[in-house]
C-alpha cells in the first residue's frame, strides 16, 4: 500500500495539558521525519513565536498535488497571539508556507534578513499579499512580545542564513536553521561559532540543530574546493555549457559566472524563478555580473556555441522546469551533440528516478553530462556529523531536540549529542505535532497535537484531502466503473439489467454483468428510498466489495439510478 499520509492521530500522549506558568512549549508542525515544511512554534506567557513556515514537495504517491503545507489547525484559534514569524533563510522548505499562513492573518510580522525578505516578498506578490516585515541582521537583538531574539550568522547554500536565539523566562533556546560550517565561503560570512560559544557560556537550555547530514561522517568540503571541477568544465567544453542549479544558490551561480567571465563566455538565465531570483540578488548586491556579460537567451542562441552559457533550473528532474523540457525537446533551446550540461546541485532523496531519467535523456541527445556522481561539482549546504559535534561542544546544551530531517537523521543527531555529553533522556527525538515543555532547565514531551499533511493545488490549501488522494491512486491503479441502473420507484426493483461502463481497464465480455445480482440484492435489502443517493452509494460499495473478491480490483464505482 502506498503511503499517503502520516501522523493521523497516533495513539499515545494526547492533548497537552495547560502550560505551566514560567514554562515554554515547543512544537514542530513540520520538518520532523521529513525533509521539508519546516515550522516550529514556541509558546511563552500566552504568546506564540513561529520559526520558519515551509513547504514539502509532493512525491509520486501524491498525484496532482503541487505542495504540502504544515497543518495550521493548532494555531487557528490563537492567530492573534502570534507575535511574529522568524524566517531563518529563503529556501522554499522554510518560507513556502508563509503566504498560506498569512491568508489566515495577514499582519503577522515577518522577521528576517534582507535577501530572505526580498524572496518572500516576490512570492507574496503572486498571492497578492503585502506583508508586514521587520528586517534584521546578524548581531541584532530585538524583543517581540515576551520573546527576546538574537540573530546569528550561519553559512548555508543560500546567502543570509541566520540562527536565532530565543530568550524568555523559561530559559535560552537556540535554533540553528539550516547551516554548515564552511570555513572559506565565497562571501566570507562564516557560521558565528564565537556567538554559539558565548551562548553556550550563558547556558543553552534547549538546542534545535539541523539534522539533514547528521548521518554523514566528517566534514563538508568548502564551496571554494569546487572551483577546479567547474574550471575543468569551462576549459574543455567544446560547445555550449548549460548549467542547472537551484534558483536560490547564488554562490554556486556566482562561481559559474566567474568561470564564464574568465573564459570569455556570455551568460543567459533561463526559467521564471531563475530570472526573478537573479534579478533580486543583483539588485541587492548578492550577485556580481560583469557589465555586458548577461544577454537574453534568444540572443545567446545566435552566438557561437563556444561563447555561450545558459543557467537554468530543473536539476532535480522537475518535469516542468527548463532543463527537463530541453531534454524532451520541448523547449526553444535545442540541445545538440557536444553541448555540456553541468548539474551543480545535490540529489534530494526521493528525486533519484527523475534525475537519472533526465541524465539519460540528455545523454541520448549527445550532451556530456557532468554531475555530482562523476565530478566534484557540488557540496551540500548542511553540516555533517563532524561539524555538528563541534557545535555541541561549543553550545553544551542541557536539552536537545534535533530538527530538519527524516527519522534516521534526527536519531543520528541525537546520538551525536549524547556522545558529547548530553543526558540521553534530554536528547528528544520526536515527530511533527509532539509538544515539548521546557521548565526549570528540563525539556519533556507533554502531548501531541494535530500535524497532518495539508495539500495545495492551484494555490488553494486543502484542495485535495487524504480521501481524494486515495481515490486518485485507485483510479490510476484500478480504474473506474460507472453503473447505470433503471429502477421502478414503486416496486423498488430493476426495470432492466444495469449497464456497466468501465474506464481504465478492460474486463472480459460479460464479466461485469455478473454483478447484476449484487445490484438486485442490494436494492432488495435497502430499508428506505431505493432510487436516491443513499441507494446509489450502497450499491457502489457493494460492487467495490464484489469486484475486490471476484476481479482482484477495486475500481472507483459510481452508480447512477434513473427512475423508470
Ligand atoms: Zn535550506
Amino acid at each position: 500500500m502506498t503511503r499517503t499520509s502520516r501522523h493521523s492521530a497516533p495513539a499515545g500522549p494526547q492533548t497537552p495539558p495547560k502550560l505551566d506558568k514560567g514554562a515554554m512549549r515547543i512544537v514542530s508542525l513540520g520538518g520532523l521525519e521529513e525533509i521539508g515544511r519546516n515550522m516550529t512554534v514556541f509558546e511563552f506567557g500566552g504568546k506564540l513565536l513561529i520559526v520558519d513556515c515551509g513547504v514539502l514537495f509532493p512525491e509520486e504517491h501524491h498525484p496532482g498535488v503541487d505542495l504540502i503545507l504544515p497543518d495550521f489547525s493548532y494555531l487557528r484559534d490563537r492567530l492573534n497571539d502570534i507575535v511574529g514569524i522568524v524566517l531563518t533563510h529563503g529556501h522554499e522548505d522554510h518560507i513556502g508556507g508563509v503566504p498560506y499562513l498569512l491568508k489566515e492573518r495577514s499582519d503577522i510580522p515577518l522577521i528576517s534578513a534582507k535577501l530572505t525578505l526580498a524572496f518572500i516578498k516576490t512570492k507574496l506578490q503572486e498571492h497578492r499579499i503585502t506583508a508586514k516585515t521587520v528586517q534584521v541582521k546578524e548581531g541584532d537583538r530585538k524583543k517581540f512580545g515576551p520573546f527576546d531574539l538574537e540573530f546569528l550568522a550561519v553559512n548555508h547554500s543560500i546567502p543570509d542564513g541566520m540562527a536565532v536565539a530565543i530568550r524568555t523566562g523559561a530559559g535560552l533556546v537556540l535554533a540553528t536553521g539550516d547551516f554548515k560550517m564552511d570555513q572559506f565561503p565565497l562571501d566570507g560570512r562564516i557560521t558565528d561559532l564565537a556567538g554559539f560559544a558565548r551562548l553556550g557560556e550563558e547556558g543553552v537550555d534547549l538546542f534545535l540543530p539541523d539534522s539533514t547530514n547528521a548521518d554523514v561522517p566528517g566534514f563538508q568540503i568548502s564551496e571554494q574546493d569546487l572551483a577546479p571541477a567547474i574550471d575543468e568544465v569551462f576549459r574543455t567544453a567544446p560547445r555550449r555549457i548549460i548549467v542547472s542549479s537551484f534558483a536560490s544558490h547564488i554562490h554556486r551561480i556566482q562561481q559559474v559566472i566567474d568561470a564564464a567571465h574568465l573564459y570569455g563566455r556570455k551568460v543567459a538565465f533561463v526559467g521564471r524563478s531563475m530570472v526573478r531570483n537573479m534579478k533580486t540578488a543583483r539588485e541587492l548586491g548578492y550577485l556580481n555580473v560583469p557589465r555586458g556579460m548577461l544577454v537574453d537567451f534568444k540572443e545567446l542562441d545566435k552566438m557561437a556555441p563556444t561563447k555561450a552559457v545558459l543557467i537554468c533550473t530543473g536539476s532535480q528532474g522537475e518535469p516542468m522546469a527548463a532543463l527537463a523540457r530541453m531534454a524532451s525537446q520541448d523547449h526553444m533551446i535545442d540541445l545538440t551533440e557536444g553541448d555540456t550540461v553541468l548539474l551543480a546541485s545535490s540529489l534530494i532523496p526521493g528525486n533519484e528516478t527523475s534525475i537519472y531519467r533526465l541524465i539519460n535523456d540528455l545523454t541520448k541527445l549527445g550532451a556530456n553530462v557532468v554531475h555530482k556522481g562523476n565530478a566534484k561539482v557540488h557540496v551540500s549546504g548542511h553540516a555533517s556529523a563532524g561539524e555538528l559535534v563541534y557545535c555541541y561542544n561549543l553550545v553544551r546544551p542541557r536539552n536537545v531536540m534535533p530538527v530538519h530531517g527524516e527519522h534516521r537523521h534526527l536519531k543520528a543527531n541525537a546520538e551525536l549529542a549524547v556522545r558529547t555529553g548530553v543526558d540521553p533522556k534530554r536528547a528528544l527525538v520526536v515527530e511533527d505535532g509532539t509538544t515539548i515543555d521546557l521548565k526549570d532547565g528540563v525539556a519533556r514531551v507533554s502531548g501531541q497535537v494535530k500535524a497532518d499533511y495539508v495539500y495545495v493545488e492551484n494555490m488553494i490549501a486543502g484542495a485535495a484531502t487524504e480521501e481524494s488522494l486515495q481515490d486518485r491512486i485507485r483510479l490510476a491503479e484500478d480504474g473506474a466503473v460507472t453503473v447505470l441502473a433503471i429502477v421502478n420507484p414503486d416496486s423498488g426493483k430493476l426495470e432492466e439489467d444495469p449497464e456497466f461502463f468501465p474506464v481504465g481497464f478492460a474486463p472480459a465480455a460479460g464479466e461485469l454483468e455478473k454483478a447484476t445480482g449484487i445490484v438486485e440484492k442490494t436494492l432488495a435489502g435497502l430499508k428506505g428510498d431505493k432510487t436516491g443517493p443513499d441507494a446509489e452509494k450502497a450499491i457502489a460499495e457493494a460492487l467495490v466489495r464484489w469486484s475486490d473478491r471476484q476481479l482482484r480490483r477495486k475500481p472507483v464505482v459510481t452508480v447512477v439510478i434513473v427512475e423508470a
Side-chain angles (χ1 to χ4, degrees), residues 38 88-94 156-158 177-179 210 381-382:
N38 297 292
T88 56
H89 63 286
H91 279 151
E92 287 299 309
D93 56 339
H94 291 254
H156 184 39
S157 47
I158 185 169
D178 285 353
F179 84 109
D210 176 10
H382 302 270

Side-chain angles (χ1 to χ4, degrees), residues 4 39 129 133 154 270 274 286 296 298 327 347 359 365 369 401 423 470 485 492 534 545:
T4 55
M39 178 173 186
I129 298 171
T133 59
V154 294
V270 184
M274 184 62 82
Y286 290 86
D296 187 83
K298 283 177 206 133
L347 200 164
I359 294 175
L365 292 174
V369 186
M401 173 184 160
D423 179 344
Q470 305 263 354
D534 289 348
R545 286 194 297 274

Side-chain angles (χ1 to χ4, degrees), residues 389-401:
V389 166
Y390 266 82
C391 288
Y392 280 121
N393 283 333
L394 286 172
V395 175
R396 287 172 288 132
R398 291 198 183 92
N399 303 270
V400 173
M401 173 184 160

Side-chain angles (χ1 to χ4, degrees), residues 198-247:
R198 175 174 48 78
L199 294 171
E201 209 56 53
E202 184 180 330
V204 172
D205 294 291
L206 178 64
F207 186 41
L208 285 77
D210 176 10
S211 307
T212 313
N213 276 341
D215 63 349
V216 178
F219 294 78
Q220 295 291 328
I221 60 163
S222 171
E223 294 277 341
Q224 293 202 0
D225 294 341
L226 305 181
I230 294 173
D231 187 80
E232 166 92 10
V233 168
F234 277 80
R235 196 162 43 77
T236 57
R239 280 178 52 88
R240 286 185 303 188
I241 300 170
I242 295 106
V243 181
S244 177
S245 166
F246 291 119

